[in-house]
Amino acid sequence: MLKNLILVFIGGGLGSVSRYLISRIEILNSSIPFNTLFVNTIGSLLIGIVLGYFLKNETLNSNYIIFFTTGFCGGFTTFSAFTNESLKLLNEGNLLLFFIYIGLSIIMGLGAVYLGFIFSK
């Protein structure tokens, strides 16, 4: 159990630092928070790849899954930033951008997990 906690701690720290660095890059000058959309989509893709690879290669050590999915991807992706940015768009009266951002986040997240799963098989 302690080993799993350490794996989650290290993976989560690396994921959080990676997310922070990406958030400092101005991807597009837009009202839509593309950095969070990008991070959450890439994190979804990584989870799909790791889980798909694990199912294909059952010999993969579960430590890798804990480190990458719960740790790194858990620290890298951020539902709290997604909901905060969605609420900000809503409070600013940007209903169209609000729905576009939510729709893109869900569609791209699910699509990325699926693609990662397919690519790794």
Side-chain angles (χ1 to χ4, degrees):
M1 180 64 163
L2 181 60
K3 179 175 69 171
N4 290 350
L5 292 175
I6 292 170
L7 289 169
V8 169
F9 176 76
I10 294 170
L14 291 171
S16 295
V17 168
S18 299
R19 180 182 70 231
Y20 173 76
L21 292 173
I22 289 174
S23 75
R24 307 310 307 158
I25 301 169
E26 189 170 324
I27 295 176
L28 292 173
N29 188 9
S30 172
S31 296
I32 296 177
F34 282 107
N35 291 49
T36 302
L37 180 63
F38 176 75
V39 163
N40 288 339
T41 302
I42 295 301
S44 297
L45 180 66
L46 290 174
I47 286 176
I49 290 170
V50 169
L51 293 178
Y53 185 80
F54 177 71
L55 289 174
K56 182 175 85 174
N57 302 298
E58 293 180 11
T59 59
L60 182 66
N61 189 325
S62 65
N63 292 335
Y64 292 113
I65 293 173
I66 292 168
F67 176 82
F68 283 112
T69 59
T70 305
F72 184 83
C73 290
F76 185 64
T77 61
T78 173
F79 189 74
S80 60
F82 162 71
T83 54
N84 180 51
E85 291 164 347
S86 298
L87 185 61
K88 182 180 175 191
L89 290 172
L90 193 59
N91 286 336
E92 292 171 350
N94 292 325
L95 287 176
L96 180 61
L97 292 179
F98 169 77
F99 286 113
I100 289 172
Y101 180 56
I102 288 176
L104 282 174
S105 295
I106 293 170
I107 290 167
M108 291 176 70
L110 289 171
V113 169
Y114 179 74
L115 284 175
F117 188 78
I118 295 301
F119 287 149
S120 64
K121 287 180 101 182

